[in-house]
Amino acid sequence: MESSKLGENVQIDVKTNYLSEQSDPDSKRFVFSYHITITNHGAQSVQLLSRRWLITDGNEHVQEVAGEGVVGEQPLIEPGASYSYTSGTVLATHVGSMQGHYHMRSDDGHEFDAPIVPFTLAQPNALH
């Protein structure tokens, strides 16, 4: 199976939240959480090995974050099952975006990247 096909079998859903209680706009500190749900629509189990994020703030400053697993785990996701976690990021602007991929391995040992399409981080009422 081609790696692009394997990546298509992994669905990634994102919900974001602005954390006003942890943010300090006067100090250019805007804190966001994001809740990720990864669903395996393929016929084989897949394991999330690593992640790579590109985080862009409203000033076009890009930060790359890469590392093993997510929130200290390298979950194995069975066919038809989902894995969810929540993490966060801090921006210097009230609007930004994130995108990237999860590097995964299927049961047969094939490694592939599951893309995370760009999503917006925004303080409430920042976008009209």
Side-chain angles (χ1 to χ4, degrees):
M1 183 178 284
E2 293 178 28
S3 61
S4 61
K5 294 289 184 201
L6 282 169
E8 291 169 11
N9 289 333
V10 176
Q11 177 182 337
I12 300 166
D13 295 305
V14 181
K15 292 183 179 147
T16 64
N17 192 30
Y18 174 68
L19 303 179
S20 60
E21 67 280 0
Q22 294 180 31
S23 298
D24 183 1
D26 293 338
S27 298
K28 297 188 182 328
R29 177 182 164 85
F30 300 86
V31 182
F32 299 89
S33 69
Y34 51 91
H35 182 78
I36 307 276
T37 301
I38 305 164
T39 304
N40 179 4
H41 294 292
Q44 299 183 51
S45 296
V46 294
Q47 183 174 17
L48 190 158
L49 301 175
S50 63
R51 71 197 181 285
R52 180 174 181 263
W53 288 107
L54 294 177
I55 306 166
T56 306
D57 70 17
N59 295 325
E60 300 297 318
H61 175 260
V62 179
Q63 176 185 4
E64 180 177 350
V65 177
E68 289 188 359
V70 290
V71 294
E73 299 181 5
Q74 291 182 311
L76 182 68
I77 308 167
E78 302 291 337
S82 296
Y83 171 82
S84 295
Y85 73 96
T86 301
S87 191
T89 191
V90 179
L91 299 180
T93 60
H94 64 279
V95 175
S97 66
M98 290 179 65
Q99 64 183 321
H101 68 262
Y102 295 123
H103 187 71
M104 308 189 91
R105 181 174 51 226
S106 60
D107 269 352
D108 65 7
H110 188 82
E111 294 190 10
F112 64 97
D113 290 336
I116 306 162
V117 297
F119 59 91
T120 300
L121 302 166
Q123 182 182 22
N125 303 314
L127 300 175
H128 300 282

